[in-house]
Amino acid sequence: MNTVLITGCSSGYGLETARHFLAKGWRVVATMRTPREGLLPRSDRLHVLPLDVTQPGSIAAAVEAAGPIDVLVNNAGVGVVGAFEATSMETAREVFDTNTFGVMAMMQAVIPQFRQRRAGVIVNVTSSVTLAAMPLAGVYTASKMAITGLTGSVAFELAAFNVRVKLVEPGYAPTTRFADNGAARMQGLIPETYMGFAQPIFAAFANPTAVTTEKDVAEVVWQAANDPSERLHFAAGADAQALARAR
Ligand SMILES: NC(=O)c1ccc[n+]([C@@H]2O[C@H](COP(=O)([O-])OP(=O)(O)OC[C@H]3O[C@@H](n4cnc5c(N)ncnc54)[C@H](OP(=O)(O)O)[C@@H]3O)[C@@H](O)[C@H]2O)c1
């Protein structure tokens, strides 16, 4: 039986991805900063473990407790919306700690076992902002673009050991906690001088023409995890797929 370890399973894409792999008969190590019972269906194939990707001790303990894994899904992430000039370096570091260094640390924690077994897949969840630049998302985009570059490079290195590395690029989902979480960090990050520019963008996000659902992302993560080819990019959701095509 295959085992997947997923980060950030307390809500949104991560939670739905855990459900999806469980439904497919996999052993699922669903990790959360604060584990909560009852989010996922009861199963002897489900193991809920604490994991904060910014804490090296937490990563080591979770990877040890998980036992051998076949697929790592780096889903945990945080957002920030704001004019770049108003976004403090402290906020930028906070976002990079989770979205960039957290992903790097998780990859380094599992690569040795994958390399030794000459098998394994790493799926890094980035964002459609890496497909086409979006205003007021500079720091977030930078944190995810770093993972695009890293993933492409490491995919070459690990191919020699039969280990695959994939990118899932989801579009905008108004239904996860992500938008609120990004907006919460926004306080004070759109100075008055930017408001005329920002308002139409917020209006467009309030009435999107196409969105991504949790199920779209879970299905695409599943496809990426099971894809035997060298394909790197997997856009997820109607809006992200349209951007990928346009690009
Ligand atoms: N929703 C969108 O529009 C969208 C679009 C493109 C890409 N994405 C990406 O998709 C991924 C999932 O986002 P989502 O939409 O499902 O948002 P979400 O509902 O806010 O879920 C984010 C998850 O990440 C977890 N997390 C945050 N910081 C963490 C840390 N330091 N260690 C471990 N877990 C941490 C959260 O846990 P807590 O409950 O502990 O906070 C939560 O489980 C993220 O990487 C995000 O950047 C989202």
Side-chain angles (χ1 to χ4, degrees), residues 145-206:
M145 284 293 249
I147 296 304
T148 300
L150 176 76
T151 305
S153 176
V154 174
F156 282 122
E157 280 170 40
L158 295 184
F161 303 103
N162 195 38
V163 175
R164 297 189 300 283
V165 193
K166 308 285 187 183
L167 283 167
V168 168
E169 294 141 337
Y172 172 58
T175 47
T176 71
R177 288 192 300 123
F178 188 76
D180 291 343
N181 143 324
R185 278 195 182 75
M186 187 174 77
Q187 306 305 326
L189 298 186
I190 313 265
E192 195 52 42
T193 42
Y194 282 83
M195 274 304 176
F197 170 74
Q199 293 297 2
I201 297 170
F202 294 146
F205 269 92

Side-chain angles (χ1 to χ4, degrees), residues 3 5 27 29 31 47-50 58-69 113:
T3 297
L5 185 152
R27 180 172 168 264
V29 182
T31 69
H47 304 268
V48 177
L49 292 178
S58 169
I59 293 174
V63 170
E64 170 78 21
I69 64 169
Q113 60 165 292

Side-chain angles (χ1 to χ4, degrees), residues 8-13 33 51-54 75-78 98 125-127 140 144 170-173 176-178:
C9 289
S10 67
S11 67
Y13 297 158
R33 278 197 287 200
L51 172 55
D52 182 332
V53 301
T54 66
N75 161 79
V78 294
T98 300
V125 178
T126 58
S127 167
Y140 174 70
K144 293 289 191 179
Y172 172 58
T176 71
R177 288 192 300 123
F178 188 76

Side-chain angles (χ1 to χ4, degrees), residues 9-10 16 18 42 50 66 69 81 85 93 101-102 115 121 141 159 165 181 187 190 209 223-224 232 241 245:
C9 289
S10 67
E16 191 59 35
R42 282 184 175 280
I69 64 169
V81 178
E85 69 164 276
R93 287 198 180 91
F101 299 122
R115 179 175 42 71
V121 184
T141 304
V165 193
N181 143 324
Q187 306 305 326
I190 313 265
T209 49
Q223 285 169 12
L232 186 63
Q241 285 163 354
R245 277 194 299 275

Side-chain angles (χ1 to χ4, degrees), residues 198-224:
Q199 293 297 2
I201 297 170
F202 294 146
F205 269 92
N207 287 299
T209 49
V211 294
T212 298
T213 67
E214 289 89 336
K215 283 194 190 312
D216 292 335
V217 176
E219 174 59 32
V220 173
V221 169
W222 168 258
Q223 285 169 12

